[in-house]
Amino acid sequence: MERSKIPVLDLTPEVEELWEDFQAAIARVLRSGQFILGPEVEAFEREVAEYLGVKHAIGVNSGTDALVLSLRALEIGPGDEVITTPFTFFATAEAIHLVGATPVYVDIDPESFNLDPKRIEEAITPRTRAILPVHLYGRPADMDAILAVARAYGLKVIEDTAQAFGAVVGGKKAGTLGDVGAFSFFPSKNLGAYGDGGLVVTDDDEVAERVRMLRAHGSRKKYFNEMIGYNSRLDALQAAILRVKLPHIDRWNAARRLVARRYNALLEGVPGIVIPDVQEGYVFHQYTIRVLGGKRDAVRRFLADRGIATMVYYPVPLHRLPVYSTPPGEFPEAERAASEVLSLPIWPKLPPAVLHEVAHAVREAVGSEE
Ligand SMILES: *Cc1c(COP(=O)(O)O)cnc(C)c1O
């Protein structure tokens, strides 16, 4: 395999674009002498809460911790079951295990790759406490249907919004429709820090208070610990960087949608390829096609030989990971997706010429172009 000349993601254009703002923000934090939480994090929490349209936003260490603290704040733990998707990053389920609860998988809707709300009801048991949908690839899950089931059975809803910062569902921001929303600021996410970071959002005052305590060793007041918590705080440098980036996120997400529309225009009707739906509220953390007929890996190799990097999110559905070693067949849609998905290069400033090169290489790989 030749070294890629077209990466799946290029984070440098936004660094260049906002270089002076980053320098000023970093200098401000260094001179403030306040490096963990403090005024910079508080300012970011206010700004991001306003952007998302939510009462409380609490900065934490990572998206994984955002999920763990959300579950703990909702008092979900040993003996409880949480319904989630088997087609996601492992952290979604890992967080459920880390609080001592059990993930119960429900297969995905093959069109959206998200948790299929029609299959939730049959997975509910007396132990079920919550539903944890993931807005995969930046496409919101079917929240109306999920919230309807949750309401009917008195379940909590925690949204894994790691891949969907700024996505919109029914006029509201993804992450603000359920009881709690968990976000990641891992550098490759749509709103990425330059290190680890995460966020919990909620309109519930008590849940917010518990998350604030949990991130600081279970204490409201320093050295007066009331519960067993974590050291999971957003640091001031990352908050300062996120404050520089936040005002640009809608423009960047719109640019990602434009990339998706352009790919679709070039790949529409190509035999053996399924292209994603594009809607105004989607934020295309990934642009993911299906390659049918067992040809995904061959197409991937063909592109790699042309110096085009691609990714497979995710090659193994969670229930098939070595950590569980469940036999195949239980969640057929998730398994089929894992064998067919291919994510093409996408970032807001992806040059149209590069996009054309990628799309034409895909057409060539499946034999629709000589
Ligand atoms: C990235 C991601 C996470 C974890 O976020 P980290 O900040 O890396 O801990 C959780 N869930 C999903 C769906 C993700 O994509």
Side-chain angles (χ1 to χ4, degrees):
M1 243 186 231
E2 181 192 316
R3 204 177 113 71
S4 298
K5 59 185 193 320
I6 301 176
V8 276
L9 170 67
D10 184 359
L11 291 171
T12 57
E14 60 186 36
V15 173
E16 293 307 326
E17 180 190 342
L18 301 172
W19 182 255
E20 319 232 297
D21 295 349
F22 288 136
Q23 276 198 316
I26 290 166
R28 183 175 71 234
V29 172
L30 297 191
R31 291 197 171 113
S32 77
Q34 283 242 35
F35 302 114
I36 303 279
L37 297 180
E40 200 69 36
V41 172
E42 283 164 27
F44 172 66
E45 288 175 340
R46 272 195 307 278
E47 289 159 12
V48 77
E50 191 186 41
Y51 171 84
L52 292 170
V54 72
K55 195 163 172 197
H56 303 281
I58 304 128
V60 298
N61 241 334
S62 67
T64 306
D65 276 10
L67 288 165
V68 170
L69 271 60
S70 296
L71 290 159
R72 282 280 313 270
L74 292 172
E75 300 182 301
I76 291 167
D80 296 335
E81 292 176 357
V82 178
I83 290 173
T84 193
T85 166
F87 195 57
T88 176
F89 179 50
F90 182 55
T92 309
E94 196 179 30
I96 298 169
H97 287 293
L98 283 169
V99 303
T102 306
V104 172
Y105 298 116
V106 162
D107 211 353
I108 56 166
D109 164 15
E111 209 268 313
S112 67
F113 297 110
N114 284 324
L115 189 61
D116 185 348
K118 292 192 299 297
R119 302 176 203 250
I120 293 175
E121 229 165 329
E122 65 203 45
I124 295 174
T125 76
R127 293 173 178 269
T128 310
R129 290 283 319 281
I131 308 172
L132 204 169
V134 178
H135 306 299
L136 199 72
Y137 306 146
R139 172 175 173 156
D142 184 352
M143 291 306 292
D144 279 349
I146 290 167
L147 290 169
V149 184
R151 255 181 246 116
Y153 289 87
L155 306 175
K156 300 288 184 193
V157 174
I158 301 137
E159 297 175 68
D160 182 338
T161 321
Q163 301 191 3
F165 190 97
V168 178
V169 209
K172 286 181 145 190
K173 293 276 168 30
T176 69
L177 289 100
D179 295 276
V180 188
F183 293 82
S184 165
F185 300 126
F186 185 80
S188 66
K189 309 289 178 170
N190 289 36
L191 181 66
Y194 295 142
D196 276 309
L199 188 78
V200 177
V201 304
T202 183
D203 284 322
D204 185 317
D205 296 345
E206 276 176 41
V207 170
E209 175 75 357
R210 278 201 289 274
V211 173
R212 278 195 196 96
M213 290 169 71
L214 286 166
R215 77 172 169 183
H217 305 285
S219 61
R220 239 176 287 247
K221 195 170 148 203
K222 213 170 184 179
Y223 310 129
F224 289 84
N225 311 71
E226 298 168 57
M227 54 168 123
I228 308 295
Y230 308 84
N231 174 0
S232 184
R233 303 162 304 203
L234 184 64
D235 73 65
L237 274 172
Q238 300 309 336
I241 282 160
L242 291 163
R243 290 182 72 197
V244 170
K245 290 176 128 194
L246 183 62
H248 303 278
I249 189 66
D250 285 342
R251 181 166 56 83
W252 289 336
N253 281 339
R256 284 174 180 272
R257 270 193 299 280
L258 184 60
V259 168
R261 287 208 168 91
R262 286 185 168 143
Y263 268 134
N264 273 5
L266 295 166
L267 295 174
E268 193 169 3
V270 174
I273 298 265
V274 179
I275 55 173
D277 186 25
V278 184
Q279 299 283 335
E280 265 317 291
Y282 302 178
V283 294
F284 286 89
H285 176 59
Q286 301 299 340
Y287 175 86
T288 304
I289 59 171
R290 278 182 194 262
V291 183
L292 308 177
K295 291 191 191 154
R296 194 266 315 276
D297 294 337
V299 169
R300 189 164 191 227
R301 274 193 302 275
F302 183 96
L303 295 173
D305 288 343
R306 300 285 169 98
I308 299 168
T310 56
M311 286 297 280
V312 173
Y313 303 108
Y314 295 89
V316 185
L318 301 194
H319 66 287
R320 296 281 295 130
L321 286 173
V323 61
Y324 302 120
S325 58
T326 324
E330 214 182 334
F331 303 106
E333 290 301 347
E335 289 174 14
R336 189 161 70 88
S339 70
E340 292 180 348
V341 292
L342 187 65
S343 297
L344 304 183
I346 188 167
W347 61 91
K349 282 194 162 65
L350 178 72
V354 173
L355 189 153
H356 274 79
E357 186 179 335
V358 175
H360 284 292
V362 171
R363 296 179 69 127
E364 244 184 282
V366 298
S368 86
E369 202 166 276
E370 293 316 312

